[in-house]
Amino acid sequence: MSIVDSALPVPALTDFKRIVIKVGSALLVDRDRGRVRLPWLISLVEDIGTLHRRGCDVMVVSSGAIALGRTVLQLPGGALRLEDSQAAAAVGQVGLSRTWAEALAHEDITAGQVLLTLGDTEERRRYLNARSTLERLLDLRAVPIINENDTVATSEIRYGDNDRLAARVATMASADLLVLLSDIDGLYTAPPAKDPNATHIPVVPRISAEIEAMAGAAASELSRGGMRTKIEAGKIATNAGTHMVIASGQVKNPLRRIREGGRCTWFLTSANPVRARKSWIAGALEPRGTLYLDEGAVAALHRGASLLPAGIRRIEGQFERGDAVLLRGPDGGEIGRGLVAYDAEDALRIIGRSTHEIEELLGHHGRSEMVHRDDMALGAK
Ligand code: GLU
């Protein structure tokens, strides 16, 4: 199959249930005035409103804090020193969130600000926290506006660019689509600014070495990521069962344009995000302990329920919150595996008890489930 194969079918935007939209600084912030490009943002928010009203869960990863803050603080042009970019982010993030919240309010949508650092997606204990917060916001029909917590992130502990951050968020939240809005309308066989023969690629069925070689390293002054980080994001997303599309954000209503067949590049995944996550739980992690369940809990799990403390008879092992544990039935047979929401010490205090007793037993209000159903991979019965 040729690399440029326009005959491959592409998904429709209306096929997706949970979408992460990444907006780059160069689109959101007017480079000369250092202000938000409001008419464009309003047009994007209209598109978000359309998706949201259809019942789609929408998350936004928005850059722009540093670009906005540096203008307010009158910092010099060019690359900023770390402490200056942190100060700029601290100032700019305030306006960035307010702007999103006000824009989304026009569509009757509530915004929630979520600032993440690398550990929130890479360490399993914190990952469970960040993921539950996003889930809860989405349950409540709010739109999380996510950025890196640049004010505290230093080079060793940062994602550094929002393309990869958006891909991590998408996989963490089991999104089925990641949209990267960019100043370019997709991937070309060579950087089009440098090579007049560059051809646009509408669909990438798999990110091969050849595709990676096409990326070059272009990055604009305001944004950190070039095509290379977008391809990196594509690898993270498609490996975890999330499709990705790169589309131009230099037009108004950029999502409507994707829906109407405007030029963009689709990176396809053959996996499904929930299945990909469950196979990671089933295979990649070393179990640190065992939970022995009663009959009722085993039956409930097979009906798709989460595992509550009440259904656990005993536990073994010195596990921490977020570790993988084996789930065994009353006869000792393995039912499946899951990520546990309590460490062994706390788990011991609440097993066999009902959920409303957790607070009294532990002295704080913990999660209702011992293992959430999304954090569980059941084997064959
Ligand atoms: N987090 C940075 C900001 O909000 C942007 C990083 C990026 O452009 O990828 O300014």
Side-chain angles (χ1 to χ4, degrees), residues 25 28-29 34 62-76 78-96 147-151 153 158 160-162 221-224:
S25 304
L28 197 63
V29 180
S62 176
S63 306
I66 297 174
L68 289 172
R70 70 187 296 162
T71 313
V72 178
L73 294 171
Q74 301 182 337
L75 294 168
L80 291 178
R81 288 183 313 174
L82 177 65
E83 54 272 36
D84 281 346
S85 57
Q86 290 179 322
V91 170
Q93 185 64 39
V94 180
L96 185 65
N147 197 0
E148 180 157 16
N149 194 352
D150 291 307
T151 51
R158 68 183 323 180
D161 66 83
N162 276 4
E221 197 189 303
L222 282 183
S223 61
R224 294 223 178 75

Side-chain angles (χ1 to χ4, degrees), residues 70-225:
R70 70 187 296 162
T71 313
V72 178
L73 294 171
Q74 301 182 337
L75 294 168
L80 291 178
R81 288 183 313 174
L82 177 65
E83 54 272 36
D84 281 346
S85 57
Q86 290 179 322
V91 170
Q93 185 64 39
V94 180
L96 185 65
S97 289
R98 191 184 50 225
T99 307
W100 273 105
E102 285 172 3
L104 284 164
H106 287 293
E107 297 291 319
D108 281 329
I109 298 174
T110 304
Q113 174 185 259
V114 178
L115 298 179
L116 296 174
T117 45
L118 194 60
D120 294 317
T121 59
E122 307 311 295
E123 286 170 28
R124 233 166 329 118
R125 276 169 260 298
R126 285 164 59 188
Y127 177 104
L128 291 185
N129 286 332
R131 201 162 61 91
S132 330
T133 308
L134 291 175
E135 280 297 337
R136 191 65 192 126
L137 283 167
L138 296 173
D139 279 351
L140 295 166
R141 301 300 295 142
V143 168
I145 304 297
I146 304 157
N147 197 0
E148 180 157 16
N149 194 352
D150 291 307
T151 51
V152 294
T154 53
S155 50
E156 325 75 75
I157 54 148
R158 68 183 323 180
Y159 305 92
D161 66 83
N162 276 4
D163 294 326
R164 269 175 298 201
L165 168 63
R168 290 287 183 214
V169 166
T171 62
M172 176 166 78
S174 304
D176 45 10
L177 177 66
L178 167 62
V179 180
L180 298 184
L181 293 179
S182 169
D183 47 9
I184 185 162
D185 54 8
L187 178 68
Y188 286 75
T189 49
K194 293 192 193 126
D195 184 346
N197 296 321
T199 334
H200 178 261
I201 302 177
V203 193
V204 175
R206 193 178 64 81
I207 301 177
S208 58
E210 205 174 346
I211 291 290
E212 287 188 62
M214 290 174 189
S220 69
E221 197 189 303
L222 282 183
S223 61
R224 294 223 178 75

Side-chain angles (χ1 to χ4, degrees), residues 38-69:
L38 219 43
W40 178 79
L41 178 63
I42 300 283
S43 82
L44 169 61
V45 164
E46 271 168 26
D47 293 356
I48 292 177
T50 306
L51 291 171
H52 193 260
R53 277 188 295 278
R54 252 193 22 234
C56 183
D57 293 335
V58 182
M59 284 165 275
V60 173
V61 172
S62 176
S63 306
I66 297 174
L68 289 172

Side-chain angles (χ1 to χ4, degrees), residues 193-366:
K194 293 192 193 126
D195 184 346
N197 296 321
T199 334
H200 178 261
I201 302 177
V203 193
V204 175
R206 193 178 64 81
I207 301 177
S208 58
E210 205 174 346
I211 291 290
E212 287 188 62
M214 290 174 189
S220 69
E221 197 189 303
L222 282 183
S223 61
R224 294 223 178 75
M227 192 50 78
R228 188 160 295 170
T229 64
K230 292 184 174 43
I231 301 291
E232 285 303 318
K235 286 202 267 182
I236 297 167
T238 56
N239 279 334
T242 304
H243 290 292
M244 183 175 96
V245 61
I246 301 179
S248 172
Q250 283 182 325
V251 291
K252 283 213 177 151
N253 299 100
L255 303 178
R256 188 168 76 199
R257 199 175 150 106
I258 300 175
R259 203 180 63 226
E260 290 171 353
R263 181 178 266 199
C264 56
T265 300
W266 286 90
F267 294 77
L268 304 181
T269 178
S270 47
N272 154 298
V274 175
R275 273 205 298 276
R277 181 176 159 74
K278 286 184 185 265
S279 71
W280 170 70
I281 292 170
L285 305 168
E286 182 69 26
R288 300 270 175 225
T290 307
L291 310 181
Y292 291 88
L293 321 188
D294 64 23
E295 281 301 346
V298 174
L301 260 46
H302 285 295
R303 286 196 304 269
S306 294
L307 175 60
L308 302 179
I312 303 169
R313 286 183 167 165
R314 65 187 179 91
I315 64 171
E316 272 170 12
Q318 272 312 314
F319 49 84
E320 300 280 331
R321 178 177 145 67
D323 278 345
V325 290
L326 291 173
L327 308 177
R328 293 190 186 278
D331 59 359
E334 183 174 334
I335 312 287
R337 293 172 183 219
L339 305 182
V340 65
Y342 287 93
D343 62 29
E345 206 180 311
D346 282 351
L348 203 54
R349 285 149 73 186
I350 59 175
I351 57 171
R353 310 296 284 265
S354 62
T355 299
H356 69 260
E357 294 176 284
I358 294 178
E359 186 166 3
E360 200 187 308
L361 291 165
L362 298 182
H364 59 86
H365 193 73

